[in-house]
PDB file of all heavy atoms in Angstrom:
ATOM      1  N   GLN A   7       0.813  -1.210   0.006  1.00 97.00           N
ATOM      2  CA  GLN A   7       0.011  -0.003  -0.012  1.00 97.00           C
ATOM      3  C   GLN A   7       0.818   1.281  -0.006  1.00 97.00           C
ATOM      4  O   GLN A   7       0.593   2.203  -0.768  1.00 97.00           O
ATOM      5  CB  GLN A   7      -0.925   0.005   1.187  1.00 97.00           C
ATOM      6  CG  GLN A   7      -2.037  -1.096   1.207  1.00 97.00           C
ATOM      7  CD  GLN A   7      -2.877  -1.064   2.434  1.00 97.00           C
ATOM      8  OE1 GLN A   7      -3.132  -0.024   3.004  1.00 97.00           O
ATOM      9  NE2 GLN A   7      -3.339  -2.213   2.827  1.00 97.00           N
ATOM     10  N   MET A   8       1.859   1.287   0.838  1.00 97.00           N
ATOM     11  CA  MET A   8       2.704   2.483   0.958  1.00 97.00           C
ATOM     12  C   MET A   8       3.568   2.692  -0.344  1.00 97.00           C
ATOM     13  O   MET A   8       3.556   3.762  -0.856  1.00 97.00           O
ATOM     14  CB  MET A   8       3.633   2.336   2.177  1.00 97.00           C
ATOM     15  CG  MET A   8       4.570   3.514   2.336  1.00 97.00           C
ATOM     16  SD  MET A   8       3.691   5.093   2.675  1.00 97.00           S
ATOM     17  CE  MET A   8       2.956   4.725   4.250  1.00 97.00           C
ATOM     18  N   GLN A   9       4.211   1.679  -0.771  1.00 98.00           N
ATOM     19  CA  GLN A   9       5.082   1.789  -1.983  1.00 98.00           C
ATOM     20  C   GLN A   9       4.284   2.140  -3.155  1.00 98.00           C
ATOM     21  O   GLN A   9       4.680   2.923  -4.027  1.00 98.00           O
ATOM     22  CB  GLN A   9       5.862   0.493  -2.127  1.00 98.00           C
ATOM     23  CG  GLN A   9       6.971   0.339  -1.106  1.00 98.00           C
ATOM     24  CD  GLN A   9       7.878  -0.859  -1.421  1.00 98.00           C
ATOM     25  OE1 GLN A   9       7.581  -1.697  -2.365  1.00 98.00           O
ATOM     26  NE2 GLN A   9       8.963  -0.912  -0.714  1.00 98.00           N
ATOM     27  N   SER A  10       3.070   1.467  -3.353  1.00 98.00           N
ATOM     28  CA  SER A  10       2.279   1.760  -4.480  1.00 98.00           C
ATOM     29  C   SER A  10       1.767   3.154  -4.579  1.00 98.00           C
ATOM     30  O   SER A  10       1.608   3.795  -5.595  1.00 98.00           O
ATOM     31  CB  SER A  10       1.108   0.790  -4.597  1.00 98.00           C
ATOM     32  OG  SER A  10       0.228   0.956  -3.532  1.00 98.00           O
ATOM     33  N   LYS A  11       1.501   3.826  -3.394  1.00 95.00           N
ATOM     34  CA  LYS A  11       1.098   5.154  -3.301  1.00 95.00           C
ATOM     35  C   LYS A  11       2.097   6.075  -3.912  1.00 95.00           C
ATOM     36  O   LYS A  11       1.758   6.907  -4.786  1.00 95.00           O
ATOM     37  CB  LYS A  11       0.778   5.543  -1.801  1.00 95.00           C
ATOM     38  CG  LYS A  11       0.417   6.995  -1.678  1.00 95.00           C
ATOM     39  CD  LYS A  11       0.074   7.360  -0.230  1.00 95.00           C
ATOM     40  CE  LYS A  11       1.286   7.288   0.677  1.00 95.00           C
ATOM     41  NZ  LYS A  11       0.951   7.704   2.086  1.00 95.00           N
ATOM     42  N   PHE A  12       3.343   5.950  -3.512  1.00 96.00           N
ATOM     43  CA  PHE A  12       4.402   6.878  -4.056  1.00 96.00           C
ATOM     44  C   PHE A  12       4.757   6.577  -5.503  1.00 96.00           C
ATOM     45  O   PHE A  12       5.007   7.460  -6.275  1.00 96.00           O
ATOM     46  CB  PHE A  12       5.637   6.754  -3.185  1.00 96.00           C
ATOM     47  CG  PHE A  12       5.408   7.370  -1.822  1.00 96.00           C
ATOM     48  CD1 PHE A  12       5.363   6.507  -0.688  1.00 96.00           C
ATOM     49  CD2 PHE A  12       5.293   8.724  -1.618  1.00 96.00           C
ATOM     50  CE1 PHE A  12       5.127   7.074   0.547  1.00 96.00           C
ATOM     51  CE2 PHE A  12       5.037   9.245  -0.394  1.00 96.00           C
ATOM     52  CZ  PHE A  12       5.022   8.443   0.753  1.00 96.00           C
ATOM     53  N   LEU A  13       4.595   5.307  -5.832  1.00 98.00           N
ATOM     54  CA  LEU A  13       4.878   4.877  -7.277  1.00 98.00           C
ATOM     55  C   LEU A  13       3.855   5.476  -8.194  1.00 98.00           C
ATOM     56  O   LEU A  13       4.152   6.112  -9.212  1.00 98.00           O
ATOM     57  CB  LEU A  13       4.930   3.303  -7.408  1.00 98.00           C
ATOM     58  CG  LEU A  13       5.096   2.859  -8.863  1.00 98.00           C
ATOM     59  CD1 LEU A  13       6.365   3.361  -9.504  1.00 98.00           C
ATOM     60  CD2 LEU A  13       5.077   1.326  -8.869  1.00 98.00           C
ATOM     61  N   MET A  14       2.523   5.331  -7.817  1.00 96.00           N
ATOM     62  CA  MET A  14       1.507   5.890  -8.702  1.00 96.00           C
ATOM     63  C   MET A  14       1.538   7.386  -8.772  1.00 96.00           C
ATOM     64  O   MET A  14       1.248   8.017  -9.787  1.00 96.00           O
ATOM     65  CB  MET A  14       0.162   5.361  -8.198  1.00 96.00           C
ATOM     66  CG  MET A  14      -0.077   3.888  -8.382  1.00 96.00           C
ATOM     67  SD  MET A  14       0.287   3.305 -10.114  1.00 96.00           S
ATOM     68  CE  MET A  14      -0.878   4.270 -11.057  1.00 96.00           C
ATOM     69  N   ARG A  15       1.893   8.023  -7.639  1.00 94.00           N
ATOM     70  CA  ARG A  15       2.015   9.518  -7.654  1.00 94.00           C
ATOM     71  C   ARG A  15       3.117   9.876  -8.701  1.00 94.00           C
ATOM     72  O   ARG A  15       2.891  10.857  -9.373  1.00 94.00           O
ATOM     73  CB  ARG A  15       2.377   9.939  -6.215  1.00 94.00           C
ATOM     74  CG  ARG A  15       2.274  11.475  -6.082  1.00 94.00           C
ATOM     75  CD  ARG A  15       2.574  11.848  -4.626  1.00 94.00           C
ATOM     76  NE  ARG A  15       1.646  11.296  -3.704  1.00 94.00           N
ATOM     77  CZ  ARG A  15       1.825  11.424  -2.351  1.00 94.00           C
ATOM     78  NH1 ARG A  15       2.778  12.111  -1.836  1.00 94.00           N
ATOM     79  NH2 ARG A  15       0.963  10.841  -1.534  1.00 94.00           N
ATOM     80  N   PHE A  16       4.210   9.244  -8.640  1.00 96.00           N
ATOM     81  CA  PHE A  16       5.375   9.498  -9.619  1.00 96.00           C
ATOM     82  C   PHE A  16       4.903   9.211 -11.041  1.00 96.00           C
ATOM     83  O   PHE A  16       5.063  10.099 -11.946  1.00 96.00           O
ATOM     84  CB  PHE A  16       6.507   8.615  -9.261  1.00 96.00           C
ATOM     85  CG  PHE A  16       7.543   8.509 -10.368  1.00 96.00           C
ATOM     86  CD1 PHE A  16       8.380   9.594 -10.676  1.00 96.00           C
ATOM     87  CD2 PHE A  16       7.734   7.284 -11.027  1.00 96.00           C
ATOM     88  CE1 PHE A  16       9.336   9.482 -11.690  1.00 96.00           C
ATOM     89  CE2 PHE A  16       8.631   7.215 -12.046  1.00 96.00           C
ATOM     90  CZ  PHE A  16       9.469   8.288 -12.409  1.00 96.00           C
ATOM     91  N   LEU A  17       4.216   8.136 -11.392  1.00 96.00           N
ATOM     92  CA  LEU A  17       3.830   7.759 -12.730  1.00 96.00           C
ATOM     93  C   LEU A  17       2.760   8.705 -13.257  1.00 96.00           C
ATOM     94  O   LEU A  17       2.814   9.191 -14.376  1.00 96.00           O
ATOM     95  CB  LEU A  17       3.288   6.311 -12.760  1.00 96.00           C
ATOM     96  CG  LEU A  17       4.312   5.253 -12.496  1.00 96.00           C
ATOM     97  CD1 LEU A  17       3.661   3.865 -12.456  1.00 96.00           C
ATOM     98  CD2 LEU A  17       5.439   5.294 -13.499  1.00 96.00           C
ATOM     99  N   LEU A  18       1.811   9.086 -12.367  1.00 95.00           N
ATOM    100  CA  LEU A  18       0.719   9.998 -12.833  1.00 95.00           C
ATOM    101  C   LEU A  18       1.338  11.401 -13.090  1.00 95.00           C
ATOM    102  O   LEU A  18       0.985  12.071 -14.109  1.00 95.00           O
ATOM    103  CB  LEU A  18      -0.324  10.134 -11.806  1.00 95.00           C
ATOM    104  CG  LEU A  18      -1.287   8.913 -11.657  1.00 95.00           C
ATOM    105  CD1 LEU A  18      -2.139   9.053 -10.461  1.00 95.00           C
ATOM    106  CD2 LEU A  18      -2.146   8.774 -12.893  1.00 95.00           C
ATOM    107  N   ALA A  19       2.249  11.847 -12.301  1.00 94.00           N
ATOM    108  CA  ALA A  19       2.910  13.136 -12.558  1.00 94.00           C
ATOM    109  C   ALA A  19       3.596  13.191 -13.891  1.00 94.00           C
ATOM    110  O   ALA A  19       3.493  14.149 -14.624  1.00 94.00           O
ATOM    111  CB  ALA A  19       3.936  13.521 -11.432  1.00 94.00           C
ATOM    112  N   HIS A  20       4.258  12.097 -14.236  1.00 95.00           N
ATOM    113  CA  HIS A  20       4.940  12.000 -15.514  1.00 95.00           C
ATOM    114  C   HIS A  20       3.969  12.044 -16.694  1.00 95.00           C
ATOM    115  O   HIS A  20       4.181  12.837 -17.604  1.00 95.00           O
ATOM    116  CB  HIS A  20       5.754  10.665 -15.618  1.00 95.00           C
ATOM    117  CG  HIS A  20       6.384  10.444 -16.931  1.00 95.00           C
ATOM    118  ND1 HIS A  20       7.485  11.066 -17.317  1.00 95.00           N
ATOM    119  CD2 HIS A  20       5.847   9.797 -18.060  1.00 95.00           C
ATOM    120  CE1 HIS A  20       7.841  10.692 -18.560  1.00 95.00           C
ATOM    121  NE2 HIS A  20       6.825   9.904 -19.041  1.00 95.00           N
ATOM    122  N   HIS A  21       2.906  11.252 -16.604  1.00 95.00           N
ATOM    123  CA  HIS A  21       1.989  11.214 -17.762  1.00 95.00           C
ATOM    124  C   HIS A  21       1.090  12.484 -17.791  1.00 95.00           C
ATOM    125  O   HIS A  21       0.540  12.688 -18.914  1.00 95.00           O
ATOM    126  CB  HIS A  21       1.214   9.907 -17.657  1.00 95.00           C
ATOM    127  CG  HIS A  21       2.017   8.659 -17.860  1.00 95.00           C
ATOM    128  ND1 HIS A  21       2.715   8.496 -19.066  1.00 95.00           N
ATOM    129  CD2 HIS A  21       2.256   7.639 -17.042  1.00 95.00           C
ATOM    130  CE1 HIS A  21       3.366   7.342 -18.936  1.00 95.00           C
ATOM    131  NE2 HIS A  21       3.103   6.798 -17.765  1.00 95.00           N
ATOM    132  N   LEU A  22       0.970  13.211 -16.753  1.00 93.00           N
ATOM    133  CA  LEU A  22       0.254  14.451 -16.848  1.00 93.00           C
ATOM    134  C   LEU A  22       1.119  15.604 -17.322  1.00 93.00           C
ATOM    135  O   LEU A  22       0.641  16.753 -17.449  1.00 93.00           O
ATOM    136  CB  LEU A  22      -0.206  14.822 -15.418  1.00 93.00           C
ATOM    137  CG  LEU A  22      -1.439  14.005 -14.943  1.00 93.00           C
ATOM    138  CD1 LEU A  22      -1.600  14.137 -13.412  1.00 93.00           C
ATOM    139  CD2 LEU A  22      -2.746  14.447 -15.630  1.00 93.00           C
ATOM    140  N   GLY A  23       2.385  15.332 -17.566  1.00 91.00           N
ATOM    141  CA  GLY A  23       3.276  16.352 -18.124  1.00 91.00           C
ATOM    142  C   GLY A  23       3.519  17.546 -17.182  1.00 91.00           C
ATOM    143  O   GLY A  23       3.671  18.648 -17.640  1.00 91.00           O
ATOM    144  N   GLY A  24       3.468  17.321 -15.871  1.00 81.00           N
ATOM    145  CA  GLY A  24       3.677  18.367 -14.919  1.00 81.00           C
ATOM    146  C   GLY A  24       2.393  19.079 -14.507  1.00 81.00           C
ATOM    147  O   GLY A  24       2.453  19.926 -13.642  1.00 81.00           O
ATOM    148  N   ALA A  25       1.264  18.812 -15.184  1.00 85.00           N
ATOM    149  CA  ALA A  25       0.039  19.452 -14.763  1.00 85.00           C
ATOM    150  C   ALA A  25      -0.381  18.993 -13.319  1.00 85.00           C
ATOM    151  O   ALA A  25      -0.388  17.823 -13.068  1.00 85.00           O
ATOM    152  CB  ALA A  25      -1.116  19.128 -15.725  1.00 85.00           C
ATOM    153  N   PRO A  26      -0.695  19.894 -12.460  1.00 83.00           N
ATOM    154  CA  PRO A  26      -1.030  19.508 -11.091  1.00 83.00           C
ATOM    155  C   PRO A  26      -2.400  18.873 -11.041  1.00 83.00           C
ATOM    156  O   PRO A  26      -3.314  19.142 -11.804  1.00 83.00           O
ATOM    157  CB  PRO A  26      -1.125  20.875 -10.382  1.00 83.00           C
ATOM    158  CG  PRO A  26      -1.398  21.903 -11.403  1.00 83.00           C
ATOM    159  CD  PRO A  26      -0.816  21.426 -12.676  1.00 83.00           C
ATOM    160  N   LEU A  27      -2.518  17.938 -10.070  1.00 83.00           N
ATOM    161  CA  LEU A  27      -3.828  17.338  -9.795  1.00 83.00           C
ATOM    162  C   LEU A  27      -4.292  18.007  -8.478  1.00 83.00           C
ATOM    163  O   LEU A  27      -3.877  17.674  -7.358  1.00 83.00           O
ATOM    164  CB  LEU A  27      -3.639  15.850  -9.554  1.00 83.00           C
ATOM    165  CG  LEU A  27      -3.640  14.959 -10.798  1.00 83.00           C
ATOM    166  CD1 LEU A  27      -3.283  13.548 -10.436  1.00 83.00           C
ATOM    167  CD2 LEU A  27      -4.999  15.004 -11.497  1.00 83.00           C
ATOM    168  N   ASN A  28      -5.179  18.978  -8.644  1.00 82.00           N
ATOM    169  CA  ASN A  28      -5.639  19.718  -7.487  1.00 82.00           C
ATOM    170  C   ASN A  28      -6.343  18.959  -6.433  1.00 82.00           C
ATOM    171  O   ASN A  28      -6.181  19.156  -5.278  1.00 82.00           O
ATOM    172  CB  ASN A  28      -6.455  20.912  -8.016  1.00 82.00           C
ATOM    173  CG  ASN A  28      -5.687  21.806  -8.950  1.00 82.00           C
ATOM    174  OD1 ASN A  28      -4.607  22.181  -8.651  1.00 82.00           O
ATOM    175  ND2 ASN A  28      -6.289  22.025 -10.077  1.00 82.00           N
ATOM    176  N   THR A  29      -7.210  18.023  -6.865  1.00 81.00           N
ATOM    177  CA  THR A  29      -7.905  17.208  -5.868  1.00 81.00           C
ATOM    178  C   THR A  29      -6.987  16.277  -5.181  1.00 81.00           C
ATOM    179  O   THR A  29      -7.264  15.972  -4.004  1.00 81.00           O
ATOM    180  CB  THR A  29      -9.068  16.438  -6.580  1.00 81.00           C
ATOM    181  OG1 THR A  29      -8.611  15.848  -7.791  1.00 81.00           O
ATOM    182  CG2 THR A  29     -10.268  17.400  -6.964  1.00 81.00           C
ATOM    183  N   ARG A  30      -5.996  15.781  -5.840  1.00 73.00           N
ATOM    184  CA  ARG A  30      -5.032  14.919  -5.116  1.00 73.00           C
ATOM    185  C   ARG A  30      -4.392  15.678  -3.982  1.00 73.00           C
ATOM    186  O   ARG A  30      -4.152  15.108  -2.925  1.00 73.00           O
ATOM    187  CB  ARG A  30      -3.937  14.288  -6.052  1.00 73.00           C
ATOM    188  CG  ARG A  30      -2.901  13.570  -5.290  1.00 73.00           C
ATOM    189  CD  ARG A  30      -1.856  12.935  -6.232  1.00 73.00           C
ATOM    190  NE  ARG A  30      -2.164  11.617  -6.648  1.00 73.00           N
ATOM    191  CZ  ARG A  30      -2.118  10.552  -5.917  1.00 73.00           C
ATOM    192  NH1 ARG A  30      -1.730  10.653  -4.652  1.00 73.00           N
ATOM    193  NH2 ARG A  30      -2.444   9.339  -6.384  1.00 73.00           N
ATOM    194  N   GLN A  31      -4.013  16.971  -4.240  1.00 72.00           N
ATOM    195  CA  GLN A  31      -3.337  17.652  -3.159  1.00 72.00           C
ATOM    196  C   GLN A  31      -4.298  17.915  -2.035  1.00 72.00           C
ATOM    197  O   GLN A  31      -3.889  17.848  -0.811  1.00 72.00           O
ATOM    198  CB  GLN A  31      -2.876  19.033  -3.676  1.00 72.00           C
ATOM    199  CG  GLN A  31      -2.054  19.844  -2.665  1.00 72.00           C
ATOM    200  CD  GLN A  31      -0.893  19.011  -2.282  1.00 72.00           C
ATOM    201  OE1 GLN A  31      -0.085  18.569  -3.038  1.00 72.00           O
ATOM    202  NE2 GLN A  31      -0.688  18.905  -1.014  1.00 72.00           N
ATOM    203  N   ILE A  32      -5.556  18.081  -2.285  1.00 76.00           N
ATOM    204  CA  ILE A  32      -6.613  18.231  -1.140  1.00 76.00           C
ATOM    205  C   ILE A  32      -6.654  16.880  -0.405  1.00 76.00           C
ATOM    206  O   ILE A  32      -6.639  16.829   0.871  1.00 76.00           O
ATOM    207  CB  ILE A  32      -7.918  18.546  -1.725  1.00 76.00           C
ATOM    208  CG1 ILE A  32      -7.937  19.945  -2.420  1.00 76.00           C
ATOM    209  CG2 ILE A  32      -8.964  18.562  -0.615  1.00 76.00           C
ATOM    210  CD1 ILE A  32      -9.193  20.318  -3.200  1.00 76.00           C
ATOM    211  N   LEU A  33      -6.610  15.779  -1.163  1.00 70.00           N
ATOM    212  CA  LEU A  33      -6.672  14.475  -0.511  1.00 70.00           C
ATOM    213  C   LEU A  33      -5.410  14.204   0.361  1.00 70.00           C
ATOM    214  O   LEU A  33      -5.489  13.694   1.459  1.00 70.00           O
ATOM    215  CB  LEU A  33      -6.783  13.397  -1.520  1.00 70.00           C
ATOM    216  CG  LEU A  33      -8.093  13.107  -2.234  1.00 70.00           C
ATOM    217  CD1 LEU A  33      -8.020  12.266  -3.441  1.00 70.00           C
ATOM    218  CD2 LEU A  33      -9.106  12.541  -1.169  1.00 70.00           C
ATOM    219  N   ILE A  34      -4.237  14.613  -0.152  1.00 69.00           N
ATOM    220  CA  ILE A  34      -3.067  14.433   0.572  1.00 69.00           C
ATOM    221  C   ILE A  34      -3.082  15.291   1.897  1.00 69.00           C
ATOM    222  O   ILE A  34      -2.736  14.825   2.997  1.00 69.00           O
ATOM    223  CB  ILE A  34      -1.788  14.938  -0.283  1.00 69.00           C
ATOM    224  CG1 ILE A  34      -1.586  13.912  -1.438  1.00 69.00           C
ATOM    225  CG2 ILE A  34      -0.589  15.016   0.542  1.00 69.00           C
ATOM    226  CD1 ILE A  34      -0.537  14.303  -2.370  1.00 69.00           C
TER     227      ILE A  34
END
């Protein structure tokens, strides 16, 4: 659970091309 959280955060950031995910930041 812990490792997958940081891995998916990294992969999504790459595929979003640097565009922020505003709702993710609220969740964090």
Side-chain angles (χ1 to χ4, degrees):
Q7 293 179 31
M8 180 62 68
Q9 291 187 347
S10 64
K11 174 176 69 174
F12 291 108
L13 175 59
M14 292 309 301
R15 192 178 299 176
F16 163 71
L17 294 176
L18 287 169
H20 173 84
H21 293 300
L22 285 163
L27 279 170
N28 300 309
T29 45
R30 173 179 271 284
Q31 188 57 52
I32 298 171
L33 284 167
I34 291 172

